[in-house]
Amino acid sequence: KVKTILVSGAFRKDQIFFKWYASFFRKMLGRFEVLTVQDEVSQELLLTIGFSSKLTGDTRYDRVVAIAAQADILPKIELFKGENKLVIAGSTWLGDEQALKASLEIFPENWKLILAPHEINSGHLHSIKNLFGKDCISYSEFERSTDAKVLIIDNIGMLSSLYRYGEIACIGGGFDQGGIHNILEPAVFGLPVIFGPAFEKFSEAREMVAAGFAFPVNDAESYSRTIKKLMVDGLREPLQGQIKQFVLSKTGATQKILKLIEHAK
């Protein structure tokens, strides 16, 4: 008989709760004292099966803003960047890495790539080094100024702070894994975001695509074309302030939910 609250729920029409045969699963939803949801689509879907909910937004926006405020200074990244501009590729898988390799040939002289793979086991790191060849160097091996165009992050825990140094973000998972990784971490720093085609399950991705802040791509050719377009300062720079404002406008869910929890006691 403990009161239970669903925090930042996100519902889609294809979920089992909305099937005609899913009365058992709808009973699960009935066990919650309060359902809080991220967006109006979720709220409207729940109404179709008889459940009211509270539209509070997504607590992840509050979290990324807090993380960004405490982002680390990374001297080796500053050294690698120098006077250049950076594409930061975060949580990448093989499909993302292959597309980025194909895109590297269109990078101007003053642009570099930092690649932080989702998995950093020795086998995956070895395959990345083979893919990029002499163009790349590992973070653990990097000590002084280098002509390498690609820096491979071979540790865990740096990614959220890395984005502060970037101009464009490429987020992994949308090709190989059926769903993109965190796009809010780069967005909080104003980075336009590129990712693969498997993004429809994520409300923040759909909203950013609709607003012109995020750019889904289907293959290596469209990946290169989109990166090249965003490298134009006059197109990218106006977006950066708009993207930051978008993220800030979505904050506040945590306090709303805390108030509901207090009320439910």
Side-chain angles (χ1 to χ4, degrees):
K1 297 183 179 180
V2 175
K3 292 181 178 179
T4 309
I5 293 177
L6 178 69
V7 174
S8 292
F11 291 90
R12 302 183 309 278
K13 191 174 181 179
D14 61 351
Q15 288 174 317
I16 194 161
F17 306 108
F18 309 104
K19 307 295 184 184
W20 64 268
Y21 52 80
S23 59
F24 171 77
F25 294 93
R26 288 193 284 272
K27 286 180 182 178
M28 292 181 181
L29 294 179
R31 303 298 296 175
F32 289 97
E33 184 78 13
V34 179
L35 299 167
T36 76
V37 295
Q38 296 180 15
D39 52 36
E40 291 181 356
V41 171
S42 297
Q43 193 171 44
E44 291 168 2
L45 279 171
L46 287 172
L47 282 174
T48 66
I49 55 173
F51 290 96
S52 61
S53 60
K54 301 288 186 180
L55 179 58
T56 56
D58 188 347
T59 56
R60 291 178 301 161
Y61 287 94
D62 298 321
R63 181 62 178 150
V64 294
V65 169
I67 290 172
Q70 302 173 18
D72 294 329
I73 295 172
L74 304 170
K76 288 174 70 170
I77 301 302
E78 292 179 350
L79 180 60
F80 178 77
K81 180 171 184 173
E83 299 299 318
N84 300 288
K85 296 175 182 178
L86 293 178
V87 175
I88 310 290
S91 299
T92 59
W93 297 83
L94 179 60
D96 311 293
E97 291 147 10
Q98 290 173 335
L100 285 162
K101 169 59 178 175
S103 300
L104 201 60
E105 64 184 39
I106 59 95
F107 275 46
E109 279 292 315
N110 63 331
W111 281 81
K112 290 185 173 185
L113 170 66
I114 294 182
L115 195 152
H118 186 71
E119 292 186 346
I120 59 167
N121 60 68
S122 58
H124 190 196
L125 291 174
H126 183 70
S127 69
I128 295 172
K129 289 179 181 178
N130 282 342
L131 180 65
F132 285 94
K134 62 181 177 59
D135 289 323
C136 73
I137 187 170
S138 296
Y139 181 84
S140 60
E141 299 169 343
F142 173 59
E143 296 295 340
R144 57 184 65 86
S145 183
T146 177
D147 292 330
K149 293 283 281 186
V150 183
L151 180 67
I152 301 169
I153 305 300
D154 50 0
N155 62 59
I156 292 174
M158 288 178 54
L159 185 55
S160 61
S161 294
L162 270 178
Y163 291 122
R164 68 182 297 176
Y165 296 100
E167 276 72 35
I168 300 169
C170 299
I171 302 303
F175 288 105
D176 308 82
Q177 303 303 311
I180 55 175
H181 293 289
N182 193 330
I183 68 170
L184 296 181
E185 286 185 340
V188 73
F189 291 106
L191 276 61
V193 185
I194 301 169
F195 42 71
F199 71 93
E200 290 292 344
K201 292 181 179 180
F202 303 88
S203 60
E204 70 277 14
R206 295 195 303 270
E207 289 187 50
M208 287 185 64
V209 170
F213 302 151
F215 304 86
V217 293
N218 294 314
D219 51 34
E221 182 181 349
S222 58
Y223 218 121
S224 295
R225 187 168 60 246
T226 304
I227 289 177
K228 186 174 182 179
K229 178 175 69 174
L230 290 172
M231 284 176 168
V232 177
D233 293 345
L235 174 64
R236 183 190 68 259
E237 290 175 347
L239 286 179
Q240 293 173 323
Q242 296 172 35
I243 295 169
K244 288 180 183 179
Q245 186 55 44
F246 168 83
V247 174
L248 289 173
S249 73
K250 296 286 188 177
T251 58
T254 304
Q255 287 303 313
K256 292 177 184 177
I257 291 168
L258 287 173
K259 288 180 180 178
L260 287 170
I261 292 172
E262 183 65 27
H263 182 72
K265 286 182 179 178

